Amino acid sequence: MSTLHFYDYIVFFVYFIIVSSYGFWIYYKKKSATSDSKDYFLAEGSLTWWAIGASLIASNISAEQMIGMSGSGFKLGLAISAYEWMASATLIIVAVFFMPVYLKNKIFTMPQFLNQRYNSTVAMIMAVFWLALYIVVNLMSILYLGALAISGISGLDITMCILGLAIFAIFITLGGMKVIGYTDVIQVFFLVLGGLVASYIALNLISGQQGIVKGFGILTNGASEHFHLIFKKDNPNYMDLPGLSVLIGGMWIANLSYWGCNQYITQRALGASLPVARSGLLFAAFLKMLMPVIVVIPGIAVYYIIKEKIPGISGSDLLTASGVQDPNKAYPALLGLLPLGLKGLSFAALTAAIVASLAGKANSIATIFTLDIYKKAFDKEASEKKQVNVGKVAVVVSMLIAVVLSLIVGDALMGEGKQGFQYIQEYTGFVSPGIFAMFILGFFWKKTTSNAALFATIGGFVVSVILKFLPGWMDLSFLNEYGWAVANANGVFEIPFMDRMLIVFAVCIIGMYFISIYENRKGVIPNGLEVDPKMFRVNTSFAVGSLIIIAMLVALYTAFW
């Protein structure tokens, strides 16, 4: 087990002091405004494009990427980068088509959109659901995976790490969205720097200290099986990334639902003007292109180091107490190779990523609970100050629940060799098709009714569950011929979860269409949104930046198909 030196802790605490001091400075500078709920939850009008972009990435790239995605890089290879690179294209779509609708209609939370477009019943059901999803899946997974990594690097007890992360995140979150947004700028700097240092160390080790360029060349040749972006059906990892679905199938649903219909993501841009919001999203798209270098290449490097028995990391470094290889330990094992001081810096970077994501999600939980549940169901006349105080209580309570869950069930769900990143994607995928269907038709088809939205919400989840457990009820081997079912490790034919999302999305769209048409004929007139085609026009600089990103994606997929 890796441990930190005294000087590493000095580096870490210097980072802690810098971020905390800056956060307090922002908090007290804007203290007069914190009694306003929109300012506390959204930092209304005060975040610049670079703060929005950096905050988006800092909240997105956390334990599930640094630890989970590096682990998936160790097991699956470069193909897992599809989540990052396709997200760049998704952010452009969200900037062009989603943000204008939100901002034009003065939408600040996702349940508010559902209430405005459909009705209060749909909004309340989804508000409760989002709270459960954010706490049970997001907060818990980040706390557990983050603590697992920090424990592996520092040698500290995992329970102590979970509690420490939760406390640190609470302090950051209580300052409101403004403190989160601006401290994220510092944190994303450390995050990127720490990831680049880890990649440099790994590639230099592989090359025998002859440089990272030679190291990367050796890695691509020696681990060529890990440098394919599109898997064929006979690939043992096809269940996780089913071929062309990462380009034209379920990957789009996962990304568009996450980046376009997700409170703790869109919240960063909802308080800004449209040009600033779009610039922030474009900046985040460029940063996403860099992420595989920081989170995936290290995992592949650890795979090669162990495969070739290069001194530094051994297979035993990734084993659990019961002797099972755990991909989630790949990144911490690599950080253990860093020299004195740099290990502390990378430790700080990893902690920054985890805390930034926890803070962002906790703030969104507080926003939804306060504005969409407490104010509507318990105290409609709540003052601005009371709303902010309720939000702060929600932050503390949600974090405590996540701590308890991570201590009780974290190991069962994400331990013993399971890929933490894939756990998050699959279980979020139970609901993302229905959510995306409800949003996309709500945006662009005025005839969509409230009952149709309820069908997508509840029906989509039910269909997802049925498809998940269908192999236990019937033999799906006949679907293998068409590529819709693949044998898992136990020889049972299953539908890859990414393909399940595509099927469920299609069911939701078809069901919503027929329900809406039926109700329209019965005289039901749905609520509409203000949508003007002129809203979707972009300026020249945004168009040029978008074309550069698309050209980069084409080049990458051409090179590593």
Side-chain angles (χ1 to χ4, degrees), residues 67-68 71 145 148-149 326-332 414-415 417-421:
I67 308 307
L145 290 175
L148 183 69
D326 186 358
N328 296 320
K329 292 189 174 184
Y331 193 78
M414 289 168 283
K418 298 172 184 175
Q419 295 180 66
F421 182 76

Side-chain angles (χ1 to χ4, degrees), residues 67-69 71-72 75 144-145 148 240 318 320 324-329 409-424 427:
I67 308 307
M69 188 168 276
S72 293
K75 185 177 180 182
Y144 178 81
L145 290 175
L148 183 69
D240 293 306
L318 272 62
T320 65
V324 177
Q325 190 181 69
D326 186 358
N328 296 320
K329 292 189 174 184
V409 300
D411 191 62
L413 294 174
M414 289 168 283
E416 289 300 290
K418 298 172 184 175
Q419 295 180 66
F421 182 76
Q422 294 299 83
Y423 155 79
I424 296 169
Y427 284 93

Side-chain angles (χ1 to χ4, degrees), residues 190-316:
F190 280 100
L191 165 66
V192 172
L193 181 61
L196 290 174
V197 169
S199 295
Y200 173 83
I201 293 291
L203 294 175
N204 209 31
L205 179 66
I206 290 171
S207 70
Q209 310 303 319
Q210 295 184 44
I212 60 173
V213 175
K214 184 173 182 179
F216 185 73
I218 294 173
L219 184 62
T220 53
N221 290 325
S224 58
E225 67 276 16
H226 268 46
F227 279 90
H228 296 290
L229 282 171
I230 304 297
F231 288 156
K232 295 180 180 179
K233 196 168 68 171
D234 60 356
N235 190 296
N237 298 308
Y238 189 86
M239 277 292 296
D240 293 306
L241 295 168
L244 288 175
S245 287
V246 302
L247 284 180
I248 57 176
M251 180 68 78
W252 282 107
I253 297 167
N255 268 310
L256 285 167
S257 175
Y258 179 85
W259 293 102
C261 315
N262 195 326
Q263 179 68 29
Y264 64 81
I265 292 300
T266 54
Q267 188 164 343
R268 268 99 186 119
L270 291 179
S273 65
L274 182 57
V276 171
R278 278 178 167 166
S279 296
L281 290 169
L282 186 63
F283 178 48
F286 274 104
L287 291 176
K288 289 298 281 183
M289 295 297 296
L290 179 65
M291 287 304 112
V293 177
I294 298 171
V295 297
V296 179
I297 295 299
I300 301 175
V302 173
Y303 164 81
Y304 180 79
I305 290 169
I306 292 175
K307 173 188 171 185
E308 297 298 322
K309 297 181 173 58
I310 297 174
I313 301 176
S314 67
S316 61

Side-chain angles (χ1 to χ4, degrees), residues 454-532:
L454 281 174
F455 168 78
T457 304
I458 302 171
F461 177 76
V462 171
V463 174
S464 294
V465 172
I466 291 173
L467 292 178
K468 168 66 176 177
F469 295 102
L470 197 59
W473 305 327
M474 65 180 293
D475 181 10
L476 299 181
S477 58
F478 69 96
L479 292 175
N480 180 253
E481 181 180 349
Y482 308 101
W484 284 101
V486 182
N488 62 19
N490 298 319
V492 178
F493 283 89
E494 293 184 17
I495 300 173
F497 77 85
M498 202 169 287
D499 289 337
R500 286 206 310 265
M501 285 195 291
L502 183 61
I503 295 170
V504 174
F505 177 71
V507 170
C508 290
I509 290 292
I510 293 170
M512 291 181 71
Y513 173 79
F514 284 110
I515 291 171
S516 296
I517 291 297
Y518 174 78
E519 291 194 312
N520 291 159
R521 290 175 179 172
K522 292 288 185 178
V524 175
I525 302 175
N527 300 321
L529 293 175
E530 190 175 344
V531 178
D532 182 352

Side-chain angles (χ1 to χ4, degrees), residues 51 61 65 152 160 190 254 263 380 540:
I61 304 296
Q65 265 79 13
M160 184 184 299
F190 280 100
Q263 179 68 29
K380 295 181 180 180
T540 303

Side-chain angles (χ1 to χ4, degrees), residues 55 100 103 106 117 140 225 236 262 271 341 383 465 486:
S55 186
L103 296 176
K106 294 179 169 41
R117 177 59 180 83
M140 182 189 72
E225 67 276 16
N262 195 326
S383 65
V465 172
V486 182

